[in-house]
Amino acid sequence: MSSASIKKLIPCKKKELIKMVLDIEKYPEFVPWCLEGKINESNDSEDILQLKGDLKVGKKFLNETYSSLIIFHKRLDKILVTNIDGPLKYLENEWKFKEINNSTQLEFKIDFELKNNFLNTIMKRSFGFGLEKIANAFEKRAFELYK
C-alpha cells in the first residue's frame, strides 16, 4: 500500500476550501492528471453530506476511472473518501479543515493500493512527488478563487 499525509495552510476560509474540495466536477480544471469528475449521487442531511462520484485520472490514452464514496461530516469539518469500484483495490483518504485567522489548515491523509501490482510499484516510487503537486494545485486554486 502507498500512504502519505500532508499539512498545508491554505489562504482562504474553511467553508470556501471545503466547498472547493467537494466540487469534484471542477477537478479537471486544476488537479494534475484528472481528466473528468462526476457526481452520480448526492444525499444531504443536517450532519452529513454523502456523495458518490467518479474520477477519471491519467493521461489521454492511458487513464482509469474509479468510483468513490465521499462523506462530509459537517460538524467535524472532515471529509472521508473510500473506494467503491475501479483500479483501486483499497482507498482511504481523509481531509481535515481548521480555520486559523483568515486561512485554513488542511490536513490530508491518503492510503491506497492499486489492483495492478506493476502499477502499484511504479506509484510507490513517484507518489510523494504526485501528492505534493496535487496539494499545490489545490492551494493555487484556492488563491485564484478566494483572494
Side-chain angles (χ1 to χ4, degrees), residues 8-42:
K8 278 193 166 276
L9 195 61
I10 309 288
C12 68
K13 296 199 178 291
K14 176 177 66 177
K15 195 176 195 176
E16 295 168 334
L17 185 57
I18 290 169
K19 179 181 174 189
M20 189 180 80
V21 169
L22 289 171
D23 193 4
I24 69 168
E25 292 181 340
K26 295 260 173 74
Y27 282 16
E29 296 175 14
F30 70 98
V31 176
W33 310 294
C34 185
L35 304 172
E36 188 178 311
K38 183 178 172 187
I39 299 291
N40 300 315
E41 284 182 44
S42 178

Side-chain angles (χ1 to χ4, degrees), residues 46-81:
E46 187 178 330
D47 297 336
I48 290 177
L49 171 64
Q50 183 174 296
L51 306 169
K52 288 185 181 175
D54 295 337
L55 281 182
K56 182 190 274 188
V57 294
K59 298 285 184 181
K60 276 187 181 176
F61 300 108
L62 180 62
N63 58 68
E64 293 276 356
T65 298
Y66 70 93
S67 299
S68 298
L69 173 64
I70 302 124
I71 300 173
F72 171 43
H73 296 270
K74 297 174 183 179
R75 291 188 181 147
L76 300 175
D77 296 321
K78 180 166 55 171
I79 298 171
L80 300 173
V81 181

Side-chain angles (χ1 to χ4, degrees), residues 4-6 21 71 73 77-82 91-97 106-111:
S5 63
I6 199 161
V21 169
I71 300 173
H73 296 270
D77 296 321
K78 180 166 55 171
I79 298 171
L80 300 173
V81 181
T82 55
L91 169 69
E92 200 169 277
N93 93 40
E94 178 180 86
W95 304 74
K96 288 183 184 176
F97 307 86
L106 171 65
E107 284 185 61
F108 177 79
K109 296 177 187 175
I110 186 166
D111 189 14

